Amino acid sequence: MSFRTTRPLHTVLLDDVRGAQKMLSGVARTTALEGSRHLSALVGAPVHLKCENLQRTGSFKLRGAYVRISGLRPEERAAGVVAASAGNHAQGVALASSLLGVRSTVFMPVGAPLPKVAATREYGAEVRLRGQVVDETLAAAQAYARDTGAVFIHPFDHPDVIAGQGTVGLEILEQCPEVRTIVVGMGGGGLAAGIGVAVKALRPDVRVVGVQARAAAAYPGSLAAGRPVAVDCGPTMADGIMVGRPGDVPFALVQDVVDEVRTVSEDALSAALLLCLERAKLVVEPAGASPVAALLADPEAFDGPVVAVLSGGNIDPLVLQRTLRHGMAAAGRYLSLRLRLPDRPGALANLLGVLTGVDANVLDVGHVRTDPRLGLTEVEVELHLETKGPEHCEEVAAALREAGHTVMS
């Protein structure tokens, strides 16, 4: 039986989170809290990373899924559970169901990354690929629930799920009792709501800051309107928090327990992911890196000690590759240039000699001769360079201009 069946649907209390913590003992890991010297220097106060990317299944989602499924009645367990997800929730439901001996069916989009599909199956779920986008997948899962009687496990819009996610907040207070600010990514709002409930009950002075991808930020408008409002999500690398409408249950809580919601750009997200990998040696998905992106974007806005919750590390290798390229470009580590050269022997060699002199590594060279915009004796060269940062980019451009080259872009 659920430990909270006698209270209203939208209520989650500290006792619920504590009950969830007991339920998760021996199931969910108490994930590490790692200090970050780089972010601490930037913020001017201690910054710690709460490594839920190292949780079982690679994200915090196991916590809420396990608590929700544990609370099902025997007849509900016998009917099985069903979920819809492109990744983290799918794996959390699959493992939780297997641990509890409950049959699970997980619907995933047709284009879901193969590693996530394989992991969900390996955790014990039956995976069905339906729909091109998550909304279509969600509709298929809900239809399955109606047809079979399986219990639909929502990723964030249920109090038991929120209570499970709130155990992250209890761990933070135990590991960093002096914390003054907790920064957490937000999609539907379950994790932020759960952390906020736990933390505000014990330490009302701690500031809880939610972070959303700017292209998929439903909470700012919803909070201004006083009710959940749907938005059209644009493309974002942070697919884990790309939710077009806040959940009714977490929204009611977020209004009371989250002090501020910030948004971050795609450049900030990719820079944060790169920083986690290079400086902290942690593989983090873009959604999980969103709190770090907020710190990078406005480091003076956070009173320390700060805890940034790295909510997940399940990133497709191909997406990781593209995101790292984007992050390196945003950090001034890549430079793309177009120049026009006289079409004569040695011109390209002279250009490359200039780049050698300023220690710029050439990654790729494009040589165009047939563009009608070119003069009869001209060629266009497109260069992709690896550089050492923004100052080095300026040095490269200045050296090319000094050598008589016109830099077009």
Side-chain angles (χ1 to χ4, degrees), residues 80-152:
V81 299
V82 61
S85 169
N88 290 346
H89 181 56
Q91 294 171 65
V93 168
L95 179 57
S97 299
S98 294
L99 293 172
L100 291 164
V102 176
R103 184 179 70 257
S104 64
T105 304
V106 175
F107 286 76
M108 304 182 76
V110 172
L114 293 179
K116 293 185 179 182
V117 174
T120 303
R121 286 189 173 125
E122 288 170 8
Y123 287 126
E126 177 189 345
V127 175
R128 300 190 181 192
L129 301 178
R130 299 286 191 278
Q132 298 298 322
V133 295
V134 174
D135 286 345
E136 295 173 358
T137 307
L138 180 62
Q142 290 171 329
Y144 178 88
R146 290 191 299 269
D147 294 342
T148 66
V151 179
F152 180 69

Side-chain angles (χ1 to χ4, degrees), residues 327-367:
M328 291 185 72
R333 303 271 294 280
Y334 284 149
L335 180 62
S336 296
L337 299 169
R338 287 188 302 119
L339 307 97
R340 288 185 181 176
L341 300 176
D343 188 12
R344 62 170 182 258
L348 181 58
N350 290 337
L351 170 64
L352 297 178
V354 174
L355 298 174
T356 299
V358 289
D359 202 24
N361 186 35
V362 179
L363 299 175
D364 191 30
V365 178
H367 210 223

